[in-house]
Each structure stands twice: as C-alpha cells, then as structure tokens.
Amino acid sequence: MADLLSDIAIQRELGTLSGWARRGSVLTKQYSFRNFVEAMAFVNQVADLAESANHHPDIDVRYSKVTLALSTHDSGGITQKDIDLARNIDAKDD
Amino acid sequence: MADLLSDIAIQRELGTLSGWARRGSVLTKQYSFRNFVEAMAFVNQVADLAESANHHPDIDVRYSKVTLALSTHDSGGITQKDIDLARNIDAKDD
C-alpha cells in the first residue's frame, strides 16, 4: 500500500503542478476544451495513462469541461501515485 | 427549443426504458462494467451517439461504474431529446 503524503509534502508537490488543488483527501483539476470532441480526446488520453499506471481518477465530463479527481483509495488519501499521475496527465496535455 | 415533457409523459417514457430514473429535471442511469477498460469503451459509444445527436449527457466515470445524466438545458428540463438519446444508448448497450 502506498504511503500517505504529509500535508507539507502535498503542498510542495502542488507547487510544481499547474491548476491542481487539494480538496481533503483528493487532488482535483478542471480542464476546459473547445468542444465535446476535444474533451473526449483528452479523456481517452487520461484513460490510457490511468490504465497503464493501474491508477484511475474519477472523471466527470460536462460537455467541453472535464474534471479529474485523484486519490489513493486503498491508502485513504493522497500518495505519490496521485502526484505522479497528475504530472503524467499534464505532460500529455501540453 | 425542444418542448418540456409533462410529468405523465416522462413517467410513460420511463416505463419503456430500463434502469433510467428521473431526478428532478434530469434523467439518470448508472452502468456497471467488469473493469475500467470496458467502462471507457461504453463511454466512447455514448460519446459518439451524443455527438451525432448534438445532445450531450453529463458523464461520470468511477473506475468500472459510469453514471449518465440527461437534461435539455436550453429547455430547462426533460424533453424528447433526452428520451431518444437514453433509448439509443441502451440499444447500443444490449
């Protein structure tokens, strides 16, 4: 089981990510696209990364907006797995 | 703009659909799959139907569970467009 990150460690990691925020035991970010098709293309990139990492964010699609929420449920909060997946998702999104 | 359906019309249509429920101004259904990959395959089918109909449900993915919520926002509630898309989605899901 992955170790929970400390509050300080989470804040430090968030400082290196763009647009991600902590909400309790979850890291969340909303992405906006020009339309639904572009939003879904992003969702499929996220899905591929999630499946490769065997770590799956909650994904909410609202037409051209996508909200991701990352948490390590087995560990009960935010771990390095969440930080790593957030970073990989945003590397793809560039 | 599509006409809102009456409460009675919505109930009658729901009687011909499986697993859909009304929640206020929204029709919603949760689907369960064996895993995330199957859930995402379904989400992509839904996305294709939605784009073809130019009518887009809210889509929430929670690993192997997908929740759809249909409403005609321009009309402020449930219209025939929502019923038709629900029916088309479940025709694909058979």
Side-chain angles (χ1 to χ4, degrees):
Chain A
M1 191 187 299
D3 289 338
L4 289 178
L5 294 179
S6 68
D7 290 349
I8 288 173
I10 292 167
Q11 285 309 317
R12 193 172 52 220
E13 295 283 7
L14 282 176
T16 70
L17 294 166
S18 175
W20 287 89
R22 179 185 188 174
R23 216 170 282 168
S25 60
V26 171
L27 292 182
T28 184
K29 181 173 177 179
Q30 188 184 74
Y31 299 79
S32 294
F33 299 92
R34 280 184 300 182
N35 52 47
F36 179 72
V37 170
E38 290 192 6
M40 282 302 307
F42 172 70
V43 165
N44 279 295
Q45 286 188 326
V46 170
D48 287 347
L49 289 169
E51 191 62 16
S52 296
N54 193 28
H55 192 54
H56 302 82
D58 291 348
I59 304 171
D60 291 1
V61 184
R62 300 290 178 272
Y63 187 61
S64 61
K65 295 193 194 306
V66 178
T67 302
L68 302 181
L70 276 164
S71 189
T72 307
H73 299 290
D74 291 349
S75 304
I78 298 166
T79 70
Q80 194 63 43
K81 291 168 73 170
D82 301 304
I83 301 292
D84 291 347
L85 184 53
R87 202 179 308 284
N88 285 342
I89 288 168
D90 284 355
K92 281 271 184 184
D93 190 41
D94 282 346
Chain B
M1 191 187 300
D3 288 338
L4 289 179
L5 294 179
S6 68
D7 291 348
I8 288 172
I10 293 167
Q11 285 309 316
R12 194 173 51 222
E13 295 284 7
L14 282 176
T16 70
L17 294 166
S18 175
W20 287 89
R22 178 185 188 175
R23 215 171 281 167
S25 61
V26 171
L27 292 182
T28 184
K29 181 173 177 179
Q30 189 184 72
Y31 300 78
S32 294
F33 300 92
R34 281 185 299 184
N35 53 47
F36 179 73
V37 170
E38 292 192 4
M40 283 302 307
F42 172 70
V43 166
N44 279 295
Q45 286 187 326
V46 170
D48 287 346
L49 289 168
E51 191 63 15
S52 296
N54 194 27
H55 192 55
H56 302 84
D58 292 347
I59 304 170
D60 291 1
V61 184
R62 301 290 179 272
Y63 188 60
S64 61
K65 295 193 194 306
V66 178
T67 302
L68 303 181
L70 277 165
S71 189
T72 306
H73 299 288
D74 290 350
S75 303
I78 298 165
T79 70
Q80 194 63 42
K81 291 170 72 172
D82 301 304
I83 301 292
D84 291 348
L85 186 53
R87 203 180 308 283
N88 285 342
I89 289 168
D90 285 355
K92 280 273 186 183
D93 190 39
D94 283 344

